[in-house]
Amino acid sequence: MAFRFRPATRLLPAAAGLLLAVAPLAPALAQGLPFNEIRALNLARNAAVLSNGGLTVYTPANCMFTTSAATNPCLVRNDADGFVYRFLGGPPGWEAKGLPATTETEIRIAPDGRRVVAILYNGPPRSR
């Protein structure tokens, strides 16, 4: 009797459905963060990228790719008015190459993480 390959087509839809049902919850549960905190960080980062010409010319600081909101150094305030992020940026690879930042962005995101309330500053790095 010859071996005949039979794809497991019956299992794929059930497995895919299970993964889709669990996937949206996994990041927030794994990191212990509410969705609004993750959304706020992602929205702030993407708004800065768009405001500064796109990823081909601008990359935000590494802290804007970290979702641990409570300890994120880019998060300067989280209160009833929303999230305020302040971070540097520059040409692609600027941090890895040890280059100075060319841009500083300060942005307020709504408390639910779904709307940019204001870009408070977007220009040359300010001295601190």
Side-chain angles (χ1 to χ4, degrees), residues 55 58-59 90-99:
L55 285 173
Y58 170 85
T59 302
W94 68 277
E95 277 185 299
K97 295 174 186 173
L99 299 174

Side-chain angles (χ1 to χ4, degrees), residues 2-9:
F3 175 76
R4 196 162 100 179
F5 178 73
R6 295 178 96 182
T9 55

Side-chain angles (χ1 to χ4, degrees), residues 27-44:
L29 293 177
Q31 297 170 28
L33 295 175
F35 286 118
N36 64 327
E37 292 183 19
I38 295 170
R39 277 194 302 258
L41 178 75
N42 290 336
L43 181 58

Side-chain angles (χ1 to χ4, degrees), residues 81-93:
D81 292 331
F83 300 87
V84 176
Y85 294 92
R86 185 183 306 129
F87 53 95
L88 298 173

Side-chain angles (χ1 to χ4, degrees), residues 59-106:
T59 302
N62 286 331
C63 60
M64 290 306 291
F65 294 92
T66 304
T67 57
S68 57
T71 60
N72 189 328
C74 289
L75 179 64
V76 294
R77 194 165 61 243
N78 175 4
D79 57 25
D81 292 331
F83 300 87
V84 176
Y85 294 92
R86 185 183 306 129
F87 53 95
L88 298 173
W94 68 277
E95 277 185 299
K97 295 174 186 173
L99 299 174
T102 57
T103 307
E104 180 180 340
T105 302
E106 188 171 346

